[in-house]
């Protein structure tokens, strides 16, 4: 059945893919974005579709619309962007969550929160399961994002307990793909852009720290399955790809796939950078019957094609 669906942060990397998929499934999509990190280019191809509508709006202010479902993605996601105006980052997570939950309560909509593996901080257990409470620095330079997202989760669960809202919380681990911002300092886009330009590839620390990388199509599939899951399944549920790669392995793969002559250079590790991050996705497998299907090599190849064709904008 066709629904009216609000996607906040819909002009961003993940949001634009989600809007695209929801429209393809026959839904009407209202994309709300203040274009802080999102770009009109990401959704330009959807503008002529009568099922798609865009509204410039900052989620730290209340929003009055009639919708059946809400995907709350609005929030800068990369350290460069979320540390640019940390107070605004926390406000976006916390006030944004309050405003969207208030809206969901008013119109009786199901609401999904795009939370993050950052709620686990620098984890003491590996891989991370949803029942792990995390090890987060409350006063560091990443805290505006980590604690903002943790507080948003708190608000979601209090609205569920107190107001019986149908909430869905997904904890997203590193996701990559076409339409990532080319200059946001995230490792996959960094390495690809540097390799395509033949520049040195920057490794922070010794490159032994590991991450797991999920391709965007897999992530969007999981979000849609989560929204459609049984009413009493709230999450939080980890969504990510459990295959683990060191930064050195990733750099070598990018160099091989691009055929680049780039060399590796090493710089000091930023403050509070986690050493290891890998999701345990048992819960997503059980509850959503979901697991990633796109290999790193396949996903990187698609992402490289996007960056190779990208016209410089800003
Ligand atoms: N990409 C990942 O690996 C990843 C991992 C964990 C969590 N997430 C979460 O998923 C969501 C989307 O991330 P992304 O990678 O697409 O990042 P992104 O920066 O591309 O998208 C975020 C979008 O939110 C918009 N936005 C920011 N502040 C806003 C505000 N106050 N009002 C309205 N719109 C606002 C931005 O303009 C942008 O379009 C974020 O909430 C992020 O925390 C992403």
């Amino acid at each position: 059945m066709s629904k009216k669906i609000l996607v906040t942060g819909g002009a961003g990397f993940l949001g634009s893919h989600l809007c695209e998929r929801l429209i393809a499934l026959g839904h009407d999509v209202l994309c709300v974005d203040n274009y802080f990190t999102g770009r009109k280019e990401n959704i330009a191809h959807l503008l002529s579709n009568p099922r798609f509508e865009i509204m410039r709006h900052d989620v730290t202010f209340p929003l009055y619309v009639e919708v059946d479902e809400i995907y709350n993605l609005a929030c800068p996601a990369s350290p460069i962007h979320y540390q640019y105006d940390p107070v605004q980052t926390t406000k976006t997570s916390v006030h944004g969550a309050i405003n969207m939950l208030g809206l969901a309560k008013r119109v009786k909509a199901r609401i999904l929160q795009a939370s993050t593996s950052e709620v686990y901080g620098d984890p003491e257990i590996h891989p991370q399961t949803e029942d792990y409470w995390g090890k987060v620095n409350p006063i560091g330079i990443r805290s505006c994002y980590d604690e903002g997202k943790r507080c948003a989760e708190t608000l979601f669960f209090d609205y569920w307990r107190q107001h019986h809202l149908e909430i869905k919380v997904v904890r997203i681990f590193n996701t990559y793909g076409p339409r990532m911002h080319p200059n946001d300092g995230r490792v996959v886009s960094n390495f690809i852009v540097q390799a395509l330009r033949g520049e040195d590839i920057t490794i922070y620390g010794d490159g032994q720290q590991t991450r797991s990388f999920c391709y965007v199509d897999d992530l969007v599939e999981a979000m849609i399955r989560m929204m459609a899951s049984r009413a009493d399944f709230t999450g939080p549920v980890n969504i990510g790809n459990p295959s683990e790669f060191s930064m050195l392995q990733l750099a070598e793969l990018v160099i091989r796939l691009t055929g680049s002559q780039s060399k590796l250079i090493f710089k000091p590790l930023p403050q509070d950078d986690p050493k290891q991050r890998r999701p345990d996705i048992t819960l997503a497998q059980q509850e959503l019957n979901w697991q990633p299907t796109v290999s790193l090599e396949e996903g990187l190849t698609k992402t490289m094609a996007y960056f190779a064709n990208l016209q410089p904008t800003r």
Side-chain angles (χ1 to χ4, degrees):
M1 199 185 68
S2 172
K3 293 186 179 130
K4 280 181 281 183
I5 303 180
L6 167 62
V7 178
T8 76
F13 158 49
L14 298 180
S16 62
H17 287 274
L18 178 62
C19 290
E20 201 172 277
R21 272 293 298 283
L22 292 171
I23 290 170
L25 290 170
H27 300 299
D28 285 310
V29 173
L30 171 61
C31 164
V32 160
D33 208 295
N34 69 350
Y35 301 110
F36 175 53
T37 50
R39 291 180 297 166
K40 290 181 185 160
E41 293 89 324
N42 288 346
I43 43 160
H45 61 297
L46 301 175
L47 288 175
S48 61
N49 193 312
R51 292 200 174 281
F52 185 67
E53 200 181 342
I54 175 101
M55 181 192 277
R56 180 191 282 267
H57 175 80
D58 184 324
V59 295
T60 61
F61 296 96
L63 179 67
Y64 298 92
V65 290
E66 298 298 320
V67 288
D68 305 309
E69 288 178 353
I70 303 170
Y71 289 84
N72 187 35
L73 275 66
C75 186
S78 72
I80 289 182
H81 289 134
Y82 71 64
Q83 287 165 8
Y84 172 78
D85 184 349
V87 172
Q88 177 65 14
T89 299
T90 307
K91 278 187 184 170
T92 294
S93 272
V94 177
H95 292 196
I98 291 170
N99 288 326
M100 292 310 118
L101 286 161
L103 171 64
K105 182 172 168 241
R106 259 193 316 277
V107 300
K108 298 188 172 46
R110 228 174 221 216
I111 180 166
L112 179 144
Q113 168 68 355
S115 192
T116 170
S117 56
E118 300 290 335
V119 301
Y120 298 122
D122 192 0
E124 299 134 304
I125 65 153
H126 195 75
Q128 291 84 52
T129 44
E130 290 84 352
D131 55 4
Y132 175 57
W133 290 354
K135 182 181 163 228
V136 177
N137 176 358
I139 57 167
I141 57 172
R142 301 172 74 105
S143 313
C144 58
Y145 183 74
D146 302 3
E147 297 287 25
K149 289 284 188 180
R150 286 167 68 94
C151 184
E153 286 199 10
T154 307
L155 284 159
F156 267 68
F157 278 84
D158 281 329
Y159 265 80
W160 172 67
R161 278 185 288 261
Q162 204 174 324
H163 300 300
H164 312 292
L165 226 64
E166 286 192 17
I167 63 152
K168 306 279 169 189
V169 175
V170 292
R171 291 184 177 153
I172 303 170
F173 284 64
N174 270 347
T175 301
Y176 70 99
R179 302 191 203 128
M180 293 181 90
H181 203 291
N183 305 320
D184 71 1
R186 284 194 258 190
V187 64
V188 173
S189 45
N190 251 10
F191 284 6
I192 293 178
V193 169
Q194 288 171 332
L196 288 173
R197 291 182 184 150
E199 294 169 0
D200 291 339
I201 290 190
T202 320
I203 309 259
Y204 293 98
D206 60 6
Q208 298 301 333
Q209 71 274 33
T210 61
R211 293 289 184 276
S212 57
F213 302 101
C214 182
Y215 187 64
V216 60
D217 289 356
D218 281 332
L219 188 270
V220 167
E221 176 65 29
M223 282 178 134
I224 289 173
R225 285 185 189 215
M226 181 60 175
M227 186 62 105
S229 62
R230 60 187 164 82
D232 60 346
F233 182 60
T234 57
V237 60
N238 290 338
I239 303 296
N241 193 322
S243 317
E244 204 173 357
F245 295 87
S246 73
M247 297 303 98
L248 279 178
Q249 286 174 314
L250 177 69
E252 278 154 15
L253 185 57
V254 168
I255 288 176
R256 176 165 69 75
L257 293 175
T258 49
S260 172
Q261 301 296 314
S262 296
K263 302 273 172 292
L264 305 185
I265 56 161
F266 293 84
K267 289 194 177 168
L269 213 53
Q271 189 193 333
D272 293 342
D273 198 54
K275 285 173 273 308
Q276 259 184 334
R277 191 61 77 54
R278 175 159 66 97
D280 182 315
I281 59 163
T282 312
L283 187 62
Q285 285 168 325
Q286 283 168 354
E287 288 291 336
L288 310 178
N289 191 22
W290 174 88
Q291 60 184 24
T293 58
V294 181
S295 70
L296 185 60
E297 185 156 340
E298 187 187 345
L300 282 178
T301 305
K302 291 182 182 173
T303 311
M304 281 165 193
Y306 166 78
F307 280 111
N309 291 322
L310 193 64
Q311 303 299 321
T313 46
R314 64 179 160 91

